């Protein structure tokens, strides 16, 4: 079986899941509305159908790009960069691949922000901000990408048959570091963060955290509305870098007791040590990924024109790694969905079932999210249960 055939079979399978989801949504749209009112229910179904059609287009678009890389793209890049097969040459080879991929994905990002999300009243993105964000992302990728890729290629070249173990340890360490620095160093590059000034709300949030034994380096508001109107909140960072981050859209849309319920849900993840569980699961998945790609048959390198390129294994991992993670994702999704149900119960315990339920309804309404999903779609794609399932579990 050729590499292109593997990509095509994988894409056909995920297109089938999208097709089943669209069928499910069209059928449910005609049923009696639940949770949302009639107009909101039908509108959310229409948006979900359009989002799924966009995913179908994106998956076909990515398939075409990956076929192009395997057919001739890697060959041209190899002829341009690889002469002595040095660490630097391999680093520039892989960095060029990532840079070109990022540029090719810009039209998808543009369409999503300026056509699809604008149409449904989500996006506040301006063209100037889109360009600014894109340039920042590309700059970060080039700077940190160079350092990370150089280190990974070095592992491949100097650690013999066990290079993949060292590369795994390095990669997982980088994931931990990113989690540490994200709220304090990375997020502020794209968004303005200001400390919560509402002393009454701050006191309630602080008391909530103290009940759960959670210490944070401040409660911050992020100006998410300059890009998007959707609601969210998160606890970012690890150890002393932990921050409570609230989207400004969330503060405007939720009542105070509903907001406390949402934060109680997030604190539930901390109390149940869900972050540690998911990090362990991610580590196991990453370990398996490196093991598999370290032992690929030569056929993969020959058919992709990556034979004789030390960075070739990482290029193949970037193209085929998502196939492995896709078929492992049901296990991760099942764990994550269970965590979400437990976190909802924790949020209800810290506030009330009514507040938690109302918060979930408000999130669905403001985010125009359809409240149900098909079983096959939830099995492969959803880390969070549907709003309908979450509310039923609360009751």
């Amino acid at each position: 079986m050729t590499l292109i055939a593997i990509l095509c079979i994988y894409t056909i399978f995920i297109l089938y899941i999208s097709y089943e989801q669209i069928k499910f949504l069209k059928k449910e749209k005609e049923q009696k509305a639940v949770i949302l009112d009639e107009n909101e229910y039908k509108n959310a179904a229409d948006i979900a159908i359009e989002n799924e059609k966009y995913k179908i287009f994106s998956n076909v678009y990515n398939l075409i790009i990956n076929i192009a890389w395997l057919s001739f793209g890697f060959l041209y890049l190899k002829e341009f960069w690889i002469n002595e097969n040095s660490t630097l040459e391999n680093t520039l080879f892989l960095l060029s691949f990532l840079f070109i991929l990022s540029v090719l994905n810009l039209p998808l990002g543009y369409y999503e922000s300026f056509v699809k999300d604008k149409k449904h009243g989500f996006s506040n993105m301006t063209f100037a901000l889109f360009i600014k964000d894109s340039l920042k992302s590309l700059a970060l990728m080039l700077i940190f990408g160079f350092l990370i890729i150089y280190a990974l290629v070095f592992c491949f070249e100097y650690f013999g048959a066990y290079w993949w173990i060292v590369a795994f340890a390095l990669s997982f360490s980088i994931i931990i570091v990113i989690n540490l620095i994200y709220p304090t160093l990375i997020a502020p590059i794209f968004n303005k963060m200001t400390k919560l000034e509402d002393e009454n709300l701050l006191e309630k949030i602080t008391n909530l955290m103290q009940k759960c034994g959670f210490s944070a380096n401040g409660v911050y508001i992020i100006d998410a509305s300059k890009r998007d109107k959707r609601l969210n909140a998160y606890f970012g960072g690890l150890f002393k870098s932990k921050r409570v981050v609230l989207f400004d859209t969330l503060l405007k849309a939720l009542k105070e007791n509903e907001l406390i319920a949402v934060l109680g849900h997030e604190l539930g993840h901390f109390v149940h040590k869900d972050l540690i569980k998911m990090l362990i699961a991610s580590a196991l998945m990453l370990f398996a990924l490196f093991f598999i790609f370290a032992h690929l048959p030569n056929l993969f390198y020959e058919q992709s024109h990556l034979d004789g390129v030390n960075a070739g294994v990482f290029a193949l991992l970037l193209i085929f790694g998502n196939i492995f993670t896709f078929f492992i994702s049901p296990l991760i999704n099942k764990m994550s969905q269970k965590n979400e149900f437990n976190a909802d119960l924790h949020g209800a315990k810290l506030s009330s079932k009514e507040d938690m339920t109302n918060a979930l309804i408000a999130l669905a309404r403001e985010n125009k999210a359809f409240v149900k999903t098909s079983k096959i779609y939830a099995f492969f794609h959803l880390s969070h249960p549907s709003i309908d399932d979450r509310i039923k579990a609360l009751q």
Side-chain angles (χ1 to χ4, degrees):
M1 182 182 293
T2 67
L3 303 190
I4 291 174
I6 292 172
L7 287 176
C8 289
I9 291 169
Y10 163 71
T11 303
I12 289 168
F13 185 70
I14 57 177
L15 293 184
Y16 168 74
I17 294 173
S18 290
Y19 168 74
E20 287 295 313
Q21 176 70 351
I22 290 171
K23 255 195 347 180
F24 171 85
L25 292 167
K26 286 180 176 178
K27 182 180 177 182
E28 286 298 323
K29 178 186 172 183
E30 303 307 319
Q31 304 301 314
K32 183 180 178 182
V34 295
I35 299 174
L36 305 173
D37 67 34
E38 194 74 29
N39 289 333
E40 290 170 339
Y41 189 80
K42 290 185 181 297
N43 185 45
D46 287 334
I47 292 172
I49 291 168
E50 186 173 342
N51 287 339
E52 213 52 45
K53 289 179 179 178
Y54 169 74
K55 285 181 186 176
I56 289 173
F57 174 81
S58 299
N59 285 319
V60 173
Y61 179 78
N62 287 324
L63 173 64
I64 293 168
I65 289 174
N66 287 335
I67 289 174
W69 279 114
L70 294 173
S71 301
F72 57 85
F74 285 137
L75 179 61
Y76 289 151
L77 216 55
K78 177 181 174 180
E79 290 176 349
F80 185 83
W81 284 117
I82 305 299
N83 183 26
E84 299 176 355
N85 205 19
S86 67
T87 308
L88 179 60
E89 286 176 353
N90 278 274
T91 300
L92 294 173
F93 171 89
L94 200 57
L95 192 62
S96 299
F97 167 58
L98 285 174
F99 180 80
I100 294 168
L101 269 185
S102 299
V103 171
L104 289 173
N105 280 321
L106 284 176
L108 293 179
Y110 180 89
Y111 176 84
E112 190 168 10
S113 292
F114 291 98
V115 179
K116 186 169 70 71
D117 285 354
K118 285 276 187 186
K119 175 183 175 182
H120 299 297
F122 289 127
S123 178
N124 290 326
M125 181 72 78
T126 64
F127 184 71
L129 185 57
F130 178 80
I131 294 297
K132 191 176 178 181
D133 282 352
S134 299
L135 291 175
K136 284 180 181 178
S137 297
L138 288 171
L140 287 171
M141 186 200 70
L142 290 173
I143 295 167
F144 293 104
F146 179 87
L147 297 173
I148 293 168
I149 292 168
Y150 192 94
L152 288 172
V153 174
F154 180 87
C155 291
F156 179 86
E157 293 174 344
Y158 291 95
F159 287 96
Y162 301 103
W163 70 267
W164 59 275
I165 298 176
V166 183
F168 154 74
L170 173 66
S171 301
F172 189 66
S173 298
I174 290 169
I175 291 172
I176 299 295
V177 170
I178 289 172
N179 273 281
L180 277 169
I181 67 173
Y182 180 80
T184 54
L185 295 178
I186 299 175
I189 294 174
F190 296 92
N191 287 92
K192 183 181 178 183
M193 281 191 177
T194 55
K195 285 199 170 185
L196 178 64
E197 295 180 352
D198 185 333
E199 291 186 5
N200 180 53
L201 180 58
L202 181 60
E203 184 180 356
K204 289 184 178 180
I205 293 173
T206 303
N207 290 336
L208 195 68
M209 291 190 296
Q210 286 175 348
K211 283 182 183 178
C212 301
F214 182 89
S215 59
N217 185 23
V219 180
Y220 289 81
I221 310 299
I222 193 171
D223 59 341
S225 60
K226 72 179 181 181
R227 292 185 183 83
D228 197 284
K229 294 179 182 178
R230 295 178 180 90
L231 316 183
N232 204 358
Y234 64 89
F235 290 84
L238 295 170
F239 311 118
K240 292 184 178 180
S241 71
K242 293 197 295 289
R243 280 185 178 183
V244 179
V245 181
L246 309 174
F247 282 29
D248 54 355
T249 51
L250 190 77
L251 287 174
K252 294 173 185 175
L254 296 190
K255 297 175 182 176
E256 194 173 271
N257 52 340
E258 293 169 354
L259 178 61
I260 294 299
V262 169
L263 292 176
H265 166 99
E266 297 299 332
L267 282 167
H269 289 305
F270 166 75
V271 170
H272 301 139
K273 296 181 172 55
D274 292 339
L275 177 59
I276 294 172
K277 293 174 189 174
M278 296 309 290
L279 277 174
I280 292 171
S282 298
L284 292 172
M285 188 165 66
L286 191 64
F287 184 85
L289 196 64
F290 270 100
F291 173 80
I292 290 169
F293 279 83
H295 297 87
L296 289 176
N298 289 332
L299 174 72
F300 276 75
Y301 298 96
E302 292 166 1
Q303 290 192 0
S304 59
H305 309 289
L306 287 168
D307 46 316
V309 180
N310 289 342
V313 62
F314 302 110
L316 288 173
L317 194 152
L318 289 168
I319 286 186
F320 291 95
N322 61 328
I323 298 177
F324 169 80
T325 55
F326 176 78
F327 288 104
I328 293 297
S329 63
L331 296 174
I332 306 298
N333 290 340
K334 189 71 175 175
M335 182 189 302
S336 178
Q337 288 167 15
K338 182 181 178 183
N339 292 343
E340 292 303 319
F341 283 129
N342 290 334
D344 282 345
L345 291 172
H346 190 267
K349 190 186 296 182
L350 292 176
S351 53
S352 70
K353 285 186 179 181
E354 183 181 5
D355 288 338
M356 191 70 241
T357 300
N358 289 337
L360 290 172
I361 293 170
L363 288 169
R365 181 179 294 118
E366 294 297 324
N367 291 337
K368 299 178 184 178
F370 195 62
V371 295
K372 295 182 178 182
T373 191
S374 66
K375 289 183 179 179
I376 188 171
Y377 193 84
F379 184 73
F380 281 104
H381 285 303
L382 294 189
S383 60
H384 287 53
S386 69
I387 295 293
D388 185 48
D389 287 339
R390 291 171 72 175
I391 289 175
K392 284 177 180 176
L394 278 172
Q395 302 310 319

